[in-house]
Amino acid sequence: MTPGMEVRPAEPDRLPLRVLLVAAEPVVRLQLRRLVSGRPDLEVVGSARNDAELEALLAETRPAVLLVDARDARSGAAAVLRLAARQGLRGLSLLGEGAAPAGAALPCPADLAAEEPGGAFMQQLSGALRGAAGTAQPSRLAATRPSFRPELIAIGSSTGGPQALSELARALSRRRPSLPVLLTQHMPMTFTAMLADQLSRCGYPAVEAMEGMPLQPGRIHVAPGGFHLLVRRDGDRLACTLDDGPPENFCRPAVDPMLRAASRVAGGRVLAVILTGMGSDGLLGCQGLVAAGGVVLAQDEASSVVWGMPGAVARAGLCHAVLPLSAMADAVARLATGGPS
């Protein structure tokens, strides 16, 4: 057998998801094998250095999904994924930190040796692998903890967002949850004020956020272009804070800082909604929010212009539900009032 190729006998009746690793660097293959094999819900059935080695392994190992180190050009990620597609398989790409995922992809920590099978990254990776394999696509609202009573709603969107937000605002205007709403839409300065006006014309009051502005129930507070929208607690009320710090996920405003701040201030009492958008902004923020006890809804692929941002949180297994845009307002209204889901 060619050096670098490792095979385990295929056992089609095993319950764990069957994963085949593709990584050019031996140390990376070793660390990925250690991490993936250490989880009871995953099984490594083989590994290869590139597409040339992969072809001989596919029939022998019968994986459910490929895990590809796309950070190293020697792995030939594009060729690997094309080969997998011809075989009816899907793959998940590991990207360098800060890279914007396209398709099924996940940012990879710089030091895999520091990660553990039960850690946050591997929980995220497990959900992303199942999503890429097509085994983790929720289609209806799941059951919620009876005690979930959100204190605020946080919405993130990008490409296709203004149209989706207008539709959501029109639908929500008939229900008007009595909670303040934070909104980060990837949009430059001057356009965010126009967005707030557009949403108000759709029947849901909206305003471009200002420093120190109190959060009002039943109102959308839009992150202004050029600033991350954060939130702080002033006594018994919440207020907006604007941050002109570095861009995150190549954006300012960005969704991740908003979700981090909301989670710090309100703990698990946050309902996050991730709508259509390119990249993966919101993924890390949703991870922390869910860990704190919050709830995430994501727009489904069919109704999204670009299923990047909602797809990232869906594939990571962070979503309470993945819904068409037409069903989102009902779900938000029910969860916002603590009603049955």
Side-chain angles (χ1 to χ4, degrees):
M1 184 172 292
T2 308
M5 297 173 64
E6 310 162 34
V7 178
R8 293 177 63 181
E11 300 175 47
D13 293 328
R14 289 286 299 274
L15 290 178
L17 188 71
R18 300 173 58 79
V19 182
L20 196 153
L21 310 174
V22 183
E25 182 61 45
V27 173
V28 174
R29 290 198 302 274
L30 179 66
Q31 292 298 343
L32 288 177
R33 177 177 286 278
R34 174 184 68 85
L35 292 169
V36 175
S37 296
R39 291 190 60 88
D41 57 334
L42 303 175
E43 178 189 12
V44 177
V45 295
S47 66
R49 292 180 295 189
N50 49 41
D51 60 308
E53 293 186 352
L54 174 64
E55 191 163 14
L57 282 175
L58 289 177
E60 189 174 355
T61 58
R62 287 179 288 167
V65 66
L66 306 184
L67 179 58
V68 186
D69 180 19
R71 302 169 301 166
D72 190 333
R74 295 174 300 167
S75 300
V80 164
L81 295 176
R82 284 195 299 270
L83 175 58
R86 290 198 297 270
Q87 302 288 332
L89 289 170
R90 295 182 67 183
L92 178 74
S93 299
L94 291 177
L95 302 180
E97 292 183 297
L106 193 70
C108 183
D111 184 10
L112 285 171
E115 301 297 326
E116 294 298 331
F121 167 68
M122 283 306 300
Q123 292 178 20
Q124 190 176 351
L125 178 62
S126 175
L129 284 168
R130 290 193 176 277
T135 61
Q137 294 298 323
S139 58
R140 61 182 180 83
L141 204 59
T144 307
R145 303 181 315 281
S147 61
F148 180 66
R149 295 293 188 276
E151 188 174 2
L152 59 91
I153 300 168
I155 302 174
S157 55
S158 184
T159 311
Q163 296 86 350
L165 289 164
S166 293
E167 181 176 336
L168 181 62
R170 278 192 293 270
L172 279 175
S173 69
R174 298 188 290 271
R175 299 159 178 84
R176 194 70 61 82
S178 57
L179 294 176
V181 181
L182 300 177
L183 167 62
T184 291
Q185 159 71 38
H186 295 166
M187 188 172 273
M189 201 171 296
T190 72
F191 288 95
T192 46
M194 295 169 59
L195 174 63
D197 182 60
Q198 174 184 326
L199 297 179
S200 293
R201 291 199 307 271
C202 291
Y204 203 111
V207 62
E208 188 178 49
M210 298 176 62
E211 178 64 36
M213 174 184 287
L215 266 63
Q216 296 292 331
R219 185 166 73 173
I220 300 173
H221 306 77
V222 181
F227 293 89
H228 300 306
L229 174 58
L230 312 181
V231 60
R232 69 172 186 264
R233 194 173 292 280
D234 281 347
D236 59 352
R237 67 180 185 178
L238 300 176
C240 298
T241 293
L242 304 184
D243 176 20
D244 62 355
E248 294 192 26
N249 303 299
F250 308 102
C251 301
R252 191 178 61 208
V255 180
D256 277 334
M258 175 184 70
L259 294 179
R260 286 198 304 269
S263 187
R264 279 196 303 270
V265 167
R269 299 184 305 281
V270 180
L271 172 58
V273 180
I274 306 300
L275 300 177
T276 175
M278 187 176 297
S280 64
D281 189 21
L283 174 60
L284 296 180
C286 283
Q287 183 180 346
L289 189 148
V290 169
V295 167
V296 176
L297 301 177
Q299 186 175 351
D300 71 357
E301 186 170 11
S303 65
S304 296
V305 174
V306 179
W307 206 55
M309 287 166 52
V313 294
R315 292 187 180 106
L318 298 172
C319 295
H320 180 68
V322 179
L323 300 167
L325 185 61
S326 59
M328 191 65 73
D330 277 336
V332 170
R334 277 180 283 164
L335 289 169
T337 57
S341 58

